[in-house]
Amino acid sequence: MKIIIESPQPDEEDVVIVRCASPDQRLISMLLSFQTPKTELTGYLNEKIVRLNYQDIYYFEANENRVFAYYHSDVYEIKHKLYELEERFMPLDFVRCSKSMIVNMEKIEYLSPLFSGKMEAYLKNGEKIIISRQYVHCIKARLGIGGAE
């Protein structure tokens, strides 16, 4: 692979051109991430208000009309609806894995099939989450694995 970086003329706008035989989902997601306007979130933990970087979030979970962002060991409340977070972060490798959860694919260590068509995701922080049968095909599609269940 060859990478070429050129500076545009003063009256030209920046342009990114990708020339490849077959772009995969990961490449497309990476390119779309450049167009995603806002990737930081504000999180609330006890009396602290914290700026959260999406790359450090393992998953988002909705519980009792509240939404939480799970970091390595901390849990922050987020003042957004789950569907809003899904729309905002889908191009950045976040995938719906149940009605109440969106997972960061970069934080999955490995997957293990369960009975009844579900899967278990083992995260890099040691947690395990369940991918419901309804959303297994989304995870498989993002991984480029054929045969949705």
Side-chain angles (χ1 to χ4, degrees):
M1 176 188 345
K2 181 167 63 170
I3 297 175
I4 300 170
I5 300 175
E6 298 176 349
S7 296
Q9 296 298 320
D11 60 335
E12 295 178 329
E13 69 176 303
D14 292 341
V15 176
V16 175
I17 299 171
V18 177
R19 192 177 300 142
C20 62
S22 57
D24 61 5
Q25 182 61 44
R26 194 167 181 89
L27 175 63
I28 292 168
S29 293
M30 181 192 70
L31 294 172
L32 287 172
S33 71
F34 290 114
Q35 293 181 328
T36 303
K38 188 173 179 189
T39 57
E40 286 191 337
L41 289 169
T42 302
Y44 302 86
L45 176 63
N46 301 324
E47 299 299 316
K48 294 188 270 184
I49 300 172
V50 182
R51 295 297 293 163
L52 306 176
N53 187 324
Y54 79 94
Q55 294 171 321
D56 298 324
I57 296 171
Y58 281 72
Y59 59 94
F60 295 106
E61 183 176 35
N63 190 359
E64 297 181 7
N65 294 323
R66 296 166 65 196
V67 177
F68 300 93
Y70 289 75
Y71 260 44
H72 181 71
S73 58
D74 292 321
V75 180
Y76 298 91
E77 184 172 358
I78 305 295
K79 303 293 184 187
H80 293 280
K81 303 284 186 205
L82 200 60
Y83 75 87
E84 295 170 338
L85 295 168
E86 182 179 23
E87 289 172 5
R88 181 190 285 185
F89 294 108
M90 188 183 309
L92 301 173
D93 238 7
F94 282 78
V95 179
R96 176 77 71 149
C97 62
S98 71
K99 284 184 180 180
S100 62
M101 191 178 293
I102 301 167
V103 66
N104 182 348
M105 295 291 291
E106 291 293 321
K107 301 297 185 184
I108 295 176
E109 186 77 34
Y110 64 93
L111 298 165
S112 180
L114 296 173
F115 296 109
S116 73
K118 297 178 185 178
M119 293 186 92
E120 194 166 43
Y122 293 80
L123 305 180
K124 293 178 179 178
N125 65 352
E127 281 190 69
K128 293 185 276 186
I129 61 170
I130 301 296
I131 299 166
S132 70
R133 185 177 39 178
Q134 180 182 355
Y135 294 98
V136 165
H137 72 280
C138 297
I139 300 291
K140 286 184 172 185
R142 192 56 75 98
L143 292 172
I145 300 171
E149 295 184 315

